[in-house]
Amino acid sequence: MSRSTVSTLTTSVTERDHSRGPDDAPLTLVQYADFECPSCGNLYDALERLQNQLGDQFRVVFRHFPLTSVHPHALRAAEAAEAAAAQGKFWEMHDVLYENQGALAADDLVRYAAEIGLDTDRFVRELENGTHQERIEEDVSSGAQSGVDGTPTVFINGRRYDGPAELDALYEAIVRTGDITAIQASIRHRGRALRDTIDRSQSGAPAAGAAIRDYFSADEIFQRIVATADEEFSRSNRLLFMSGLAAGFAVTLTFLARSAVTAAVPTDSGELIGNLFYPVGFVLIVMGRYQLFTENTLTPVTLVLTRIASVRNLLRLWAVVIVANVLGAALGAFVLATTGVFTPEAAAVARGFGEHAFATGWWDLFFKAVFAGNIVAAMVWLVHASQDTTARFLIIVFLMFLIPATDLFHCITGMCEVLYFVFRGQETLWAAVGEFFVPVTLGNIVGGVLLVALLNYSQTAERQYPDRDASQLKLSWAEWLYSRQTGHPRSPSFSGENDDELTE
């Protein structure tokens, strides 16, 4: 956004405005924002962190400024927030919209309304009738009078703030607003908290170890995994599916590389060297942040075991990812089985993998898969414990090599192998599912969840969420089973990384 010549807020804050914090707070921050704007999403996180630090010294005021020319869902999202405000739940809807910026379609808005307990019939009726458009236009008009021409635009105690949405920069701007003794004292007394905040990523997970800067403690690793889990739960089904499809197809590269290299080395060491290429697909998946089902037996389960996320949400995540993974693997297997990608020697090796899988008994598959699930879960844990790309790469390669080297089975890579066998006309699809996929998937889940439970309960609730009372985050038992919501462990957390420019 270009710098405006208007540097003051022309429309004062009144009872009409949506505000969060005491009316007599010495600091008031007014933001003109758009629910679909990514930079506004970054500012949302920063403001939550500021409010957590400054408490009753700080008030946030929200005004609408939807950029309809670039954000097609922004206006309807703003109307949804106002429809929620009409039922006394503006801030609940405000938070949900920013925590789900990738899913702001009409059906999503109605679903959020139901989740926060609105009268959905009234909510839908007001959206359809454009009941709150005039209120939004008033905000836009007041913003234009104050020189707002992009989002987010921020005013601190009536003065325009054009700096970055970084925690220390915002604090400095607060101090520069004048002789605000209480806030300055708050900043001084929170010096350590500020340093800890800067040491955290946007999701709230530690970016550096507390005791030893380049070495995480067990609970710090756990917090990083919790942050990843929260991100996964916040993704829409569409994004999960597309990422899962890419992961399933990436697994095909493991099958392709392992078969081709094994066939190309005609000595007794051919199988050993071929197994070294088994991690290829996993390197792409983990480093590229694709969604692979077995990884999801670790990260999301952490929130479910602590009753921060519901079983229903976990099953939704699992179902979408595993279907996408299998479809991606099936597509790759079909191409390899029906084209000339494999040499005759590599095709013979590939058939051998499928034949070996079908020759292994149901319970043997299950228990082999338990150990494989444990290895994958350990790999995810260690990846979160690492701070550089080289270390993560070596962890993935070494641990994933153990799966073929010890004759264990992974449900998605194994499914690619057996589907190749099926597409070559040597087995049935039913046998692939019932005799291989079911026992291996169950085993992977048991192995992954077992490690998660051990790691999870080695932490205390206070250490998992040191900045909050963990009991406040937990869902009730009924919500834990059926609700679509989560307790949002990252909401009180602070982002310490540099945000993008405040305006877009």
Side-chain angles (χ1 to χ4, degrees):
M1 179 184 114
S2 60
R3 297 290 187 265
S4 170
T5 57
V6 181
S7 60
T8 58
L9 184 69
T10 59
T11 303
S12 301
V13 177
T14 66
E15 293 181 355
R16 166 194 175 281
D17 284 296
H18 302 300
S19 65
R20 181 182 263 172
D23 292 341
D24 60 351
L27 174 72
T28 294
L29 184 149
V30 177
Q31 60 168 318
Y32 284 89
D34 172 325
F35 286 111
E36 200 174 1
C37 161
S39 297
C40 296
N42 293 337
L43 181 63
Y44 162 73
D45 290 329
L47 293 181
E48 281 201 324
R49 290 152 44 208
L50 281 171
Q51 286 191 297
N52 187 60
Q53 288 292 309
L54 298 178
D56 59 8
Q57 304 293 315
F58 186 53
R59 175 174 62 158
V60 171
V61 175
F62 183 93
R63 289 177 177 173
H64 300 283
F65 204 86
L67 301 177
T68 55
S69 61
V70 291
H71 297 144
H73 302 296
L75 178 58
R76 185 52 61 94
E79 291 183 71
E82 288 302 323
Q87 300 185 42
K89 292 194 174 184
F90 171 82
W91 289 106
E92 289 87 343
M93 180 62 79
H94 167 277
D95 294 349
V96 170
L97 292 175
Y98 274 125
E99 288 160 8
N100 298 275
Q101 279 193 300
L104 297 178
D107 291 344
D108 297 317
L109 300 179
V110 176
R111 174 162 52 86
Y112 302 149
E115 288 176 358
I116 65 175
L118 298 182
D119 178 342
T120 54
D121 290 339
R122 175 184 172 185
F123 177 84
V124 171
R125 185 168 59 252
E126 291 180 357
L127 289 187
E128 291 177 346
N129 294 337
T131 304
H132 304 287
Q133 287 186 7
E134 183 177 352
R135 163 62 191 263
I136 296 165
E137 290 169 359
E138 290 173 0
D139 277 359
V140 172
S141 176
S142 74
Q145 292 172 19
S146 297
V148 176
D149 55 3
T151 60
T153 298
V154 169
F155 296 86
I156 299 175
N157 280 9
R159 299 289 299 177
R160 184 176 177 123
Y161 170 74
D162 285 317
E166 298 174 5
L167 186 62
D168 53 350
L170 286 168
Y171 268 126
E172 289 175 7
I174 289 169
V175 173
R176 287 198 303 270
T177 58
D179 183 18
I180 307 176
T181 306
I183 292 177
Q184 291 173 327
S186 173
I187 294 171
R188 287 196 300 271
H189 290 303
R190 288 174 171 85
R192 182 181 177 187
L194 175 58
R195 186 201 68 196
D196 291 343
T197 294
I198 293 173
D199 280 345
R200 290 175 182 269
S201 66
Q202 182 173 346
S203 61
I212 304 174
R213 305 294 291 168
D214 61 348
Y215 192 87
F216 291 116
S217 66
D219 55 298
E220 287 170 336
I221 300 170
F222 189 87
Q223 289 178 53
R224 289 164 67 89
I225 290 176
V226 165
T228 299
D230 188 48
E231 179 185 346
E232 290 174 354
F233 275 122
S234 68
R235 290 190 179 188
S236 66
N237 289 343
R238 179 180 62 83
L239 292 177
L240 285 172
F241 182 85
M242 297 306 295
S243 182
L245 194 67
F249 196 71
V251 159
T252 306
L253 298 180
T254 280
F255 178 48
L256 171 63
R258 185 184 175 204
S259 301
V261 173
T262 300
V265 181
T267 64
D268 294 338
S269 60
E271 183 176 355
L272 173 63
I273 296 175
N275 288 342
L276 289 172
F277 286 81
Y278 185 89
V280 167
F282 291 91
V283 170
L284 292 174
I285 290 165
V286 177
M287 305 294 278
R289 300 296 302 274
Y290 302 162
Q291 289 289 317
L292 184 67
F293 174 70
T294 45
E295 286 183 287
N296 288 314
T297 57
L298 178 63
T299 48
V301 171
T302 56
L303 295 186
V304 175
L305 289 177
T306 48
R307 278 184 25 226
I308 305 299
S310 67
V311 174
R312 174 180 177 175
N313 251 338
L314 177 66
L315 294 179
R316 172 192 70 88
L317 180 65
W318 279 4
V320 172
V321 171
I322 200 168
V323 168
N325 286 168
V326 171
L327 286 176
L331 176 61
F334 179 79
V335 171
L336 292 175
T338 57
T339 64
V341 174
F342 277 142
T343 64
E345 295 79 11
V349 172
R351 288 195 301 271
F353 292 147
E355 187 175 4
H356 171 63
F358 280 111
T360 306
W362 204 97
W363 284 108
D364 288 339
L365 286 171
F366 173 80
F367 285 110
K368 285 174 178 286
V370 169
F371 284 100
N374 202 269
I375 289 173
V376 173
M379 180 266 291
V380 175
W381 177 271
L382 292 177
V383 164
H384 281 81
S386 303
Q387 291 183 287
D388 64 83
T389 301
T390 301
R392 293 188 182 105
F393 175 82
L394 294 175
I395 288 167
I396 297 166
V397 170
F398 177 75
L399 288 179
M400 292 302 98
F401 165 74
L402 292 179
I403 292 179
T406 54
D407 195 28
L408 303 180
F409 289 95
H410 180 275
C411 61
I412 306 302
T413 54
M415 194 60 174
C416 186
E417 294 168 357
V418 298
L419 285 175
Y420 176 84
F421 203 63
V422 169
F423 292 140
R424 297 285 293 189
Q426 294 169 293
E427 262 297 353
T428 66
L429 180 60
W430 174 250
V433 174
E435 297 176 18
F436 176 83
F437 187 67
V438 170
V440 173
T441 302
L442 292 175
N444 287 167
I445 291 173
V446 170
V449 171
L450 178 62
L451 181 63
V452 173
L454 291 174
L455 295 172
N456 178 54
Y457 291 110
S458 70
Q459 318 297 322
T460 65
E462 289 74 21
R463 295 185 72 185
Q464 289 170 17
Y465 309 109
D467 298 328
R468 298 197 58 187
D469 177 2
S471 63
Q472 295 178 357
L473 297 171
K474 289 186 177 180
L475 304 174
S476 68
W477 287 109
E479 290 172 333
W480 182 72
L481 286 173
Y482 304 116
S483 176
R484 293 183 181 180
Q485 71 183 41
T486 68
H488 296 295
R490 80 184 185 93
S491 60
S493 304
F494 280 47
S495 167
E497 295 180 343
N498 293 345
D499 296 319
D500 293 332
E501 294 247 349
L502 268 174
T503 57
E504 67 167 16

